[in-house]
Amino acid sequence: MSEFHEMGFVEFSKVQKSYDGESLVVKDLNLSVGKGEFLTMLGPSGSGKTTCLMMLAGFETATHGEILLDSRPINNIPPHKRGIGMVFQNYALFPHMTVNENLSFPLEVRGQGKAEREANVKKALDMVQMSEFGHRRPAQLSGGQQQRIALARSLVFEPDLVLMDEPLGALDKQLREHMQFEIKHLHERLGVTVVYVTHDQSEALTMSDRIAVFDDGVIQQLASPNDLYERPENAFVAQFIGENNRIDAVVSEIHGDKVLVEYNNGGKGEALAVNCGDVGSKTTLSVRPERVRIGEKVGVNSIDAVVKELIYLGDHIRCRMDVMGNDEFVVKIPNSATSISMDVGEKTSVSWDVSDCRALDA
Amino acid sequence: MSDASVNVKKRQMMTADGIPLKRSLRISLRREKLRGLALLAVPALFVIMLFIWPIYTLFQKSIDDSFVNDVLPRTMAIYEKWDGEDLPGEVHFEAMFLDLTTAEKLEIGKVSTRMNYAKSGWKSLIKKSNRKFKKFDPQKALLPQMIKADKRWGDIEFWKSLGIMKDRRTAGYYWNAVDRTYDSKKNVIMQPENRRVYVMFWKRTLLVSAIVTVACLILAYPVAYLLATLPLRVSNLLMICVLMPFWTSLLVRIVAWMIMLQQQGVLNDSLVGLGIIAEENRLPLMYNFNGTLIVMTQVLLPFMILPLYSVMRGIPPTYMKAAQNLGATPSWAFLRVYMPQTVPGVGAGVILVFIVAVGYFITPELVGGKDGQMIGNQIAYHLRKSLNWGLASAMGVMLLVAILVLYWVYDKIVGIDNMRLG
């Protein structure tokens, strides 16, 4: 990522975390976050992403390894001395304080004078367009408004790094999408480094510069949203990000960056050799539903299929098919004037380009 | 009122059949309403019978003074005719004689007790006279016969004291409860020096309750915090430890404390044995003020722990994390963010403990000795021993009012809505 000149503003180096001394929640984590970057930790629940965030905030201690902030080891610095902003999942706005008091709390602790505090609080509230709500208590605000206040509070003391732990999880879909853009724009305007945790992939794709996909305590892939979707490096990422068709196969020949595979029913195909083993080993092929063509029998990757279900979704038609005994094979047909009409039960064939088919780990 | 609402008022809404909508709604809701009222009647009856009615009778008792009027009707009927200066005339003596000889013996005993509160000496006067009345000659003038039988009949102070009791309602018991009394002209005066006790008891009661409440708060806060923050499995175990004494008989606990704290008790023996205090300096921890404080604090502790625990359990740990993340040291975060959120629990605990403590009597009775007695013990004494139910009721009503005032003050300062009883 060349646009972030100062790599390693936040650095995890061989970090491991165990709660019970028997199993690792985070296994050998190495991660470098650039200054001003928006990095998202994405993964299913229990994948270790929140634990990583808590270690960075100082609420959990790393069992092994080192965490550096601005090239300074912070393992032994207590949370209140780290100067990291954080937005909590349920906002954690202090219920007995007004919005103004909530925002001036971190400034008070830092010994700012009254006038200075008021100016900073006002600035932060303006930033999230909440300046009229300073005298309300959190309980008198809607979920979206509380979210903005929590955001303002994490930024009011001008930290260089802000952590967000699924901050939009409690909002409804529309508000959530709106807030995603707002956070993204705020990040762009302030240039603050953000480490964001979520299990919602569309949220991650919308906002992030880079996404670290977590599973089982390990970063499966660290890449930009574009790369992550277009070029998944393993079967988990391919399956987790976006919709994906997986086809089990066995490697039969390798030619440079291409690989010839044999399907379970004896058919043959060709794919990009991304992450597959030697000849004779099992592999999982990954094809995105929108890259599959229906009806034409061209190229090496062409297989018979039966239409099982058609769902009209306006901009596209979602077609579930039976391909080699797998009836979860999905094809997205764009809704255009020229698109072909089909019926359920119709026998046809599907095909795709070699460059759209990636041979991944089994 | 806006134009729109005026319009609505003018045009009455109708149902499809032309019945006014309001009436239709009322009819459709009537069944439900009746059923609701019927269900409500059961607890309402319960509250009236077991709560409002007893309190009402208690209040009645505390201001009721009709007893003398009922037992000595003739005397009290003509009492007003006496000038209150000279010795009453023959009619008065005759009325008194008739009243005392016709009333039932049991009633006379009771009424003489009441009269003795107004002026000591009445009881023995009536008792003595009643024996001699049998030998009286009703045909002759009664005045000289009665004075001959007991010369106190000639003391107009006794006759004057009847004036205090001529009204059927009295505030006298309330004055008695604060060491004041009526003189024969119904002016409020201080009791004689040697009979002033209740003010001291009131003060001590408030003092003990306040100390016990504060001690409970100081002891309960950390325990409740621990209970609320420990993992559920451990905290449940700890909770049982807290509740175990709560389930144990009060008497058993008090006896246990006696064994612990008395002069020859476990604690003193240990301290002497360890050489911390000398044999002759054994600490006086039982059968005095200290005993009352220590045992009441232990007994009332759960009343403080439970509401605190329930409030603390509801405070998510993220608040403390957020405060620290914002730069507050753990102790500052605790003071500024955690403690203010426990105020509803503190309020509930303080009110609960104080209310229970103010009316406590078993513990002071058993371990309080002489200087650890409280107003509750006085109420019990007047209920069971001296049978001065009027005074006992007055004290009870005063306790009740004190608690209501406390409640009101709490509402003003913290707000009752903020109270969480568990």
Side-chain angles (χ1 to χ4, degrees):
Chain A
M1 289 281 98
S2 57
E3 51 181 305
F4 306 112
H5 303 295
E6 291 175 64
M7 270 323 264
F9 178 62
V10 176
E11 196 131 16
F12 286 85
S13 163
K14 294 178 187 155
V15 171
Q16 292 182 315
K17 173 73 186 175
S18 172
Y19 286 107
D20 53 6
E22 283 168 13
S23 58
L24 286 169
V25 183
V26 175
K27 300 169 185 163
D28 194 27
L29 178 78
N30 293 289
L31 176 65
S32 177
V33 185
K35 199 172 172 87
E37 187 176 3
F38 195 119
L39 182 120
T40 298
M41 294 175 172
L42 174 67
S45 56
S47 60
K49 56 191 192 317
T50 300
T51 305
C52 286
L53 198 76
M54 289 302 166
M55 285 195 282
L56 190 49
F59 299 121
E60 300 286 355
T61 45
T63 312
H64 176 81
E66 214 163 44
I67 303 170
L68 302 169
L69 176 64
D70 216 359
S71 12
R72 196 164 47 107
I74 55 169
N75 287 35
N76 294 321
I77 298 178
H80 64 273
K81 287 188 181 151
R82 294 195 180 189
I84 298 173
M86 183 154 180
V87 182
F88 288 84
Q89 201 165 8
N90 294 313
Y91 320 133
L93 296 173
F94 307 139
H96 59 293
M97 296 185 190
T98 63
V99 166
N100 278 337
E101 285 165 345
N102 261 287
L103 260 69
S104 71
F105 183 83
L107 307 176
E108 225 169 277
V109 170
R110 285 170 173 76
Q112 286 191 6
K114 193 161 182 271
E116 194 185 353
R117 268 189 343 239
E118 277 170 9
N120 281 328
V121 167
K122 194 180 171 310
K123 208 171 80 186
L125 282 179
D126 282 343
M127 191 170 67
V128 292
Q129 294 121 48
M130 290 287 291
S131 28
E132 294 125 66
F133 297 89
H135 297 288
R136 299 258 192 109
R137 283 183 191 262
Q140 297 167 305
L141 301 174
S142 70
Q145 289 170 333
Q146 290 184 30
Q147 218 289 321
R148 284 160 193 263
I149 299 302
L151 199 60
R153 190 177 68 176
S154 73
L155 293 167
V156 71
F157 58 98
E158 292 171 355
D160 294 323
L161 173 64
V162 175
L163 312 179
M164 302 192 188
D165 183 13
E166 309 210 15
L168 307 179
L171 303 181
D172 62 59
K173 189 167 178 289
Q174 217 170 354
L175 199 54
R176 193 160 63 219
E177 280 165 7
H178 180 74
M179 284 306 294
Q180 286 170 14
F181 289 113
E182 220 159 287
I183 291 176
K184 189 177 162 76
H185 295 152
L186 217 52
H187 164 251
E188 280 161 9
R189 208 165 75 221
L190 299 175
V192 61
T193 310
V194 177
V195 176
Y196 193 100
V197 161
T198 183
H199 63 265
D200 180 339
Q201 46 145 320
S202 77
E203 200 168 291
L205 294 173
T206 307
M207 304 168 77
S208 324
D209 293 316
R210 282 194 304 164
I211 298 170
V213 181
F214 273 72
D215 185 45
D216 199 21
V218 175
I219 295 184
Q220 301 289 338
Q221 189 170 354
L222 174 63
S224 67
N226 183 351
D227 276 345
L228 215 53
Y229 187 79
E230 303 282 347
R231 286 176 280 282
E233 270 163 17
N234 58 40
F236 175 81
V237 176
Q239 196 67 25
F240 193 73
I241 307 284
E243 251 190 306
N244 178 51
N245 290 313
R246 34 185 310 167
I247 306 159
D248 293 328
V250 176
V251 178
S252 53
E253 280 176 51
I254 301 176
H255 297 294
D257 62 346
K258 302 270 172 63
V259 64
L260 281 176
V261 294
E262 191 177 324
Y263 305 130
N264 293 347
N265 69 349
K268 291 202 191 300
E270 196 177 350
L272 292 174
V274 179
N275 188 13
C276 59
D278 294 331
V279 173
S281 62
K282 282 185 175 177
T283 179
T284 307
L285 303 184
S286 153
V287 187
R288 294 291 182 197
E290 67 274 20
R291 299 291 168 89
V292 180
R293 290 183 302 268
I294 293 187
E296 337 166 18
K297 262 202 157 168
V298 286
V300 280
N301 291 320
S302 183
I303 305 173
D304 291 333
V306 180
V307 178
K308 286 280 177 193
E309 191 179 22
L310 289 163
I311 299 168
Y312 181 79
L313 285 165
D315 60 336
H316 72 270
I317 295 158
R318 198 182 141 88
C319 178
R320 188 164 65 80
M321 314 188 96
D322 185 342
V323 174
M324 291 187 294
N326 168 23
D327 64 356
E328 294 292 324
F329 195 95
V330 174
V331 181
K332 283 182 186 169
I333 311 163
N335 186 2
S336 68
T338 57
S339 62
I340 33 158
S341 66
M342 274 184 305
D343 297 310
V344 173
E346 190 178 324
K347 284 185 181 162
T348 178
S349 64
V350 288
S351 61
W352 52 83
D353 292 341
V354 174
S355 58
D356 287 333
C357 180
R358 299 168 68 79
L360 305 172
D361 55 321
Chain B
M1 204 173 272
S2 70
D3 292 345
S5 64
V6 172
N7 275 341
V8 168
K9 260 198 170 167
K10 267 189 221 162
R11 261 190 297 117
Q12 198 180 23
M13 297 286 278
M14 299 284 184
T15 61
D17 299 336
I19 309 165
L21 189 61
K22 280 201 171 156
R23 211 179 69 190
S24 181
L25 181 71
R26 221 172 25 240
I27 293 165
S28 67
L29 289 180
R30 188 173 297 154
R31 258 183 93 90
E32 247 174 272
K33 244 186 211 164
L34 282 177
R35 211 170 55 133
L37 280 176
L39 289 175
L40 202 65
V42 179
L45 205 68
F46 183 82
V47 167
I48 289 169
M49 270 175 52
L50 292 178
F51 193 69
I52 296 179
W53 177 246
I55 288 177
Y56 174 73
T57 36
L58 182 77
F59 179 69
Q60 276 293 319
K61 197 91 206 165
S62 73
I63 57 166
D64 179 48
D65 201 15
S66 51
F67 203 50
V68 180
N69 279 289
D70 292 341
V71 182
L72 309 176
R74 299 174 189 87
T75 312
M76 299 315 279
I78 59 166
Y79 185 78
E80 289 290 310
K81 289 177 184 153
W82 178 48
D83 61 5
E85 308 259 323
D86 308 313
L87 196 65
E90 168 68 16
V91 275
H92 293 279
F93 277 87
E94 195 186 342
M96 179 64 85
F97 175 76
L98 285 174
D99 281 337
L100 288 177
T101 45
T102 51
E104 270 184 53
K105 210 174 170 192
L106 193 70
E107 295 289 288
I108 287 176
K110 281 191 199 165
V111 85
S112 66
T113 307
R114 164 65 190 101
M115 288 159 83
N116 213 46
Y117 301 146
K119 168 136 187 69
S120 50
W122 264 118
K123 197 169 184 156
S124 67
L125 171 59
I126 291 175
K127 207 171 176 185
K128 195 173 154 201
S129 306
N130 250 356
R131 263 182 271 126
K132 298 195 175 171
F133 281 167
K134 289 171 198 137
K135 299 172 199 156
F136 278 22
D137 181 358
Q139 305 306 320
K140 288 181 188 164
L142 287 159
L143 190 152
Q145 291 188 74
M146 278 170 78
I147 293 179
K148 197 183 160 217
D150 192 314
K151 64 177 191 307
R152 280 178 288 184
W153 285 117
D155 184 351
I156 65 163
E157 288 304 318
F158 278 91
W159 291 96
K160 276 182 179 175
S161 70
L162 286 176
I164 306 169
M165 297 173 280
K166 73 174 191 293
D167 293 329
R168 282 177 174 269
R169 297 247 178 282
T170 179
Y173 293 120
Y174 288 93
W175 289 117
N176 288 162
V178 288
D179 289 345
R180 277 149 183 86
T181 186
Y182 289 128
D183 65 7
S184 52
K185 292 196 181 76
K186 266 209 140 173
N187 296 315
V188 176
I189 54 163
M190 289 297 290
Q191 291 271 27
E193 201 96 30
N194 60 345
R195 292 183 66 182
R196 289 178 200 166
V197 282
Y198 301 122
V199 169
M200 186 269 288
F201 275 114
W202 284 111
K203 280 185 185 161
R204 187 191 289 159
T205 303
L206 293 181
L207 181 70
V208 167
S209 304
I211 296 176
V212 167
T213 306
V214 171
C216 276
L217 184 60
I218 292 169
L219 292 174
Y221 205 91
V223 176
Y225 182 75
L226 199 65
L227 278 171
T229 45
L230 281 177
L232 208 58
R233 192 141 47 95
V234 189
S235 75
N236 276 344
L237 193 74
L238 198 61
M239 185 56 109
I240 289 172
C241 296
V242 169
L243 289 178
M244 197 74 91
F246 203 44
W247 297 330
T248 313
S249 153
L250 185 63
L251 288 175
V252 172
R253 273 188 285 170
I254 291 174
V255 169
W257 276 113
M258 287 175 176
I259 295 164
M260 284 292 292
L261 296 181
Q262 60 187 315
Q263 291 267 301
Q264 305 299 323
V266 177
L267 189 75
N268 268 318
D269 280 352
S270 313
L271 288 175
V272 170
L274 290 168
I276 295 168
I277 54 171
E279 178 65 44
E280 62 275 17
N281 291 339
R282 282 174 176 263
L283 301 171
L285 295 171
M286 192 49 42
Y287 311 120
N288 56 22
F289 193 69
N290 297 337
T292 301
L293 282 185
I294 295 171
V295 180
M296 275 180 73
T297 302
Q298 193 266 337
V299 169
L300 296 177
L301 205 50
F303 288 105
M304 188 68 90
I305 293 178
L306 292 177
L308 274 177
Y309 165 74
S310 116
V311 167
M312 285 175 175
R313 186 107 246 179
I315 301 175
T318 37
Y319 288 127
M320 282 291 280
K321 281 187 184 169
Q324 288 179 62
N325 173 261
L326 293 169
T329 57
S331 48
W332 185 244
F334 189 81
L335 270 170
R336 277 295 309 274
V337 174
Y338 195 85
M339 285 210 351
Q341 293 189 65
T342 61
V343 166
V346 173
V350 164
I351 289 263
L352 211 56
V353 170
F354 194 86
I355 287 175
V356 178
V358 157
Y360 233 59
F361 105 94
I362 304 174
T363 306
E365 181 80 28
L366 292 177
V367 302
K370 227 170 110 189
D371 60 355
Q373 300 290 306
M374 291 167 54
I375 203 74
N377 303 100
Q378 290 302 310
I379 296 179
Y381 170 76
H382 286 301
L383 274 178
R384 299 183 307 154
K385 297 273 172 56
S386 83
L387 303 183
N388 187 353
W389 284 24
L391 182 56
S393 304
M395 286 175 169
V397 170
M398 284 168 76
L399 263 184
L400 187 67
V401 169
I403 287 163
L404 289 178
V405 167
L406 194 75
Y407 215 67
W408 179 78
V409 170
Y410 179 83
D411 188 32
K412 284 284 151 202
I413 299 172
V414 189
I416 287 297
D417 300 342
N418 268 332
M419 184 152 81
R420 289 260 304 271
L421 281 174

